[in-house]
Amino acid sequence: MVPDTDFASYHDRPIIKPPVWKTPDVPAYLYLGGTAGVAAALAALGDLTGRSGLCRSSRLVAAGGAVSSVGFLIHDLGRPERFLNMMRVVKVTSPLSVGSWILAPFGTATGLAAASEVTGLLPGAGRAAGIAGGVLGPAMTTYTAVLLADTAVPGWHEAYRELPFVFAGSALAAGGGSALLTGHGDGPARRVAVAGAALELAASRRLETSIGMSAHAYRTGRAGRLLRAARAATVAGAAAALAGPVADAVRRRAPRRRRALDAVAGLLLNAGSATTRWGVFDAGMATARDPAYTVVPQRERLRRREAAAGE
């Protein structure tokens, strides 16, 4: 019997160089950007449908998320000018370049909309900026998934089909949950939150069962613990979001109790979304550090090509 191979590399270094991204900077950047994108879309929807409370609260969430996201990104880069250097060119084949040109105008638009909302100045310009932020919002929810999948990190690259759906569902759950948390979750925001939670859970399940060996990193270690906690929070948050209207209809509860239930739902959905991003980040880093995640899939692909060529 041949013993199992102990995968290692020269001087026990990883075969690929793991990203030098920091925690919690990058997981926070992933979470806040996605949440801001959905909040901006909800703000535009609220504006167009006459839901002033949803419009106001979502504009503030979108601007706060965008500014905080840029802050975490700049802190990870180390020097502010590095972010400005990314704006020097537009390279459509680079997700990082495209993402920078999504993030910059999105942050500007949502900031202008929020400033107009708070001060009452230039309402026409504020509304136009809010609509522009809403248009850019969907791209904010998923471009970071493309950015991760475009790297050589096995745990991210092999999940290039599933990650955009995981991130989109996570962002929808968090954005809708933010509206629940601020007391404006009735109507579309509640449906967005629940639909996002369902999408996140389904896409995460598919990721962990369909990407081959790298799925092991999503089920074990700290990444596995984080993702299990994220699923629990997301399920509980979706259940709480659905329970509010049901409780009102069945037991005729007081509005104060429903608002408390919505706030709990919003907190759980946002906690689940943030933990999902951290778990995905940790899983990818684990596959970058372990040579087996690079070597074994390469050998399997080589064997398949050789078998196909011999037929």
Side-chain angles (χ1 to χ4, degrees), residues 158 207-220 287 293:
E158 292 174 15
L207 186 154
E208 294 183 14
T209 58
S210 64
I211 66 170
M213 180 179 175
S214 290
H216 181 72
Y218 287 86
R219 297 192 295 265
T220 59
T287 63
Y293 288 104

Side-chain angles (χ1 to χ4, degrees), residues 157-246:
H157 184 71
E158 292 174 15
Y160 71 93
R161 294 184 182 90
E162 293 81 12
L163 273 182
F165 293 97
V166 174
F167 277 30
S170 173
L172 288 167
S178 297
L180 289 167
L181 185 59
T182 57
H184 301 287
D186 288 333
R190 189 181 305 274
R191 292 191 288 272
V192 163
V194 174
L199 176 59
E200 178 186 349
L201 292 169
S204 295
R205 174 63 178 170
R206 177 172 175 80
L207 186 154
E208 294 183 14
T209 58
S210 64
I211 66 170
M213 180 179 175
S214 290
H216 181 72
Y218 287 86
R219 297 192 295 265
T220 59
R222 187 171 72 170
R225 293 191 296 273
L226 287 169
L227 291 170
R228 286 191 292 274
R231 283 193 292 271
T234 301
V235 169
L242 291 171
V246 173

Side-chain angles (χ1 to χ4, degrees), residues 57-288:
S57 65
S58 295
R59 280 182 176 179
L60 297 179
V61 170
V67 171
S68 300
S69 176
V70 171
F72 278 110
L73 177 59
I74 290 174
H75 186 266
D76 178 69
L77 292 172
R79 294 201 302 268
E81 63 268 23
R82 288 177 176 169
F83 178 76
L84 297 177
N85 287 339
M86 292 191 293
M87 310 300 298
R88 294 171 63 185
V89 297
V90 179
K91 188 176 181 181
V92 296
T93 57
S94 168
L96 182 60
S97 177
V98 173
S100 300
W101 281 99
I102 293 172
L103 180 58
F106 175 83
T108 302
T110 55
L112 290 174
S116 175
E117 188 70 44
V118 171
T119 64
L121 300 175
L122 302 174
R127 187 179 192 193
I131 298 298
V135 170
L136 291 170
M140 280 289 294
T141 66
T142 54
Y143 90 84
T144 48
V146 178
L147 184 112
L148 294 183
D150 196 51
T151 66
V153 175
W156 298 333
H157 184 71
E158 292 174 15
Y160 71 93
R161 294 184 182 90
E162 293 81 12
L163 273 182
F165 293 97
V166 174
F167 277 30
S170 173
L172 288 167
S178 297
L180 289 167
L181 185 59
T182 57
H184 301 287
D186 288 333
R190 189 181 305 274
R191 292 191 288 272
V192 163
V194 174
L199 176 59
E200 178 186 349
L201 292 169
S204 295
R205 174 63 178 170
R206 177 172 175 80
L207 186 154
E208 294 183 14
T209 58
S210 64
I211 66 170
M213 180 179 175
S214 290
H216 181 72
Y218 287 86
R219 297 192 295 265
T220 59
R222 187 171 72 170
R225 293 191 296 273
L226 287 169
L227 291 170
R228 286 191 292 274
R231 283 193 292 271
T234 301
V235 169
L242 291 171
V246 173
D248 278 354
V250 174
R251 300 182 181 180
R252 300 183 182 277
R253 291 191 174 185
R256 183 179 298 177
R257 292 186 179 181
R258 177 171 174 175
R259 286 196 295 270
L261 194 59
D262 284 352
V264 170
L267 286 171
L268 287 170
L269 288 170
N270 276 273
S273 177
T275 309
T276 292
R277 306 303 177 104
W278 200 318
V280 168
F281 178 82
D282 264 15
M285 296 297 283
T287 63

Side-chain angles (χ1 to χ4, degrees), residues 15 38 80 131 202-203:
I15 290 177
V38 173
I131 298 298

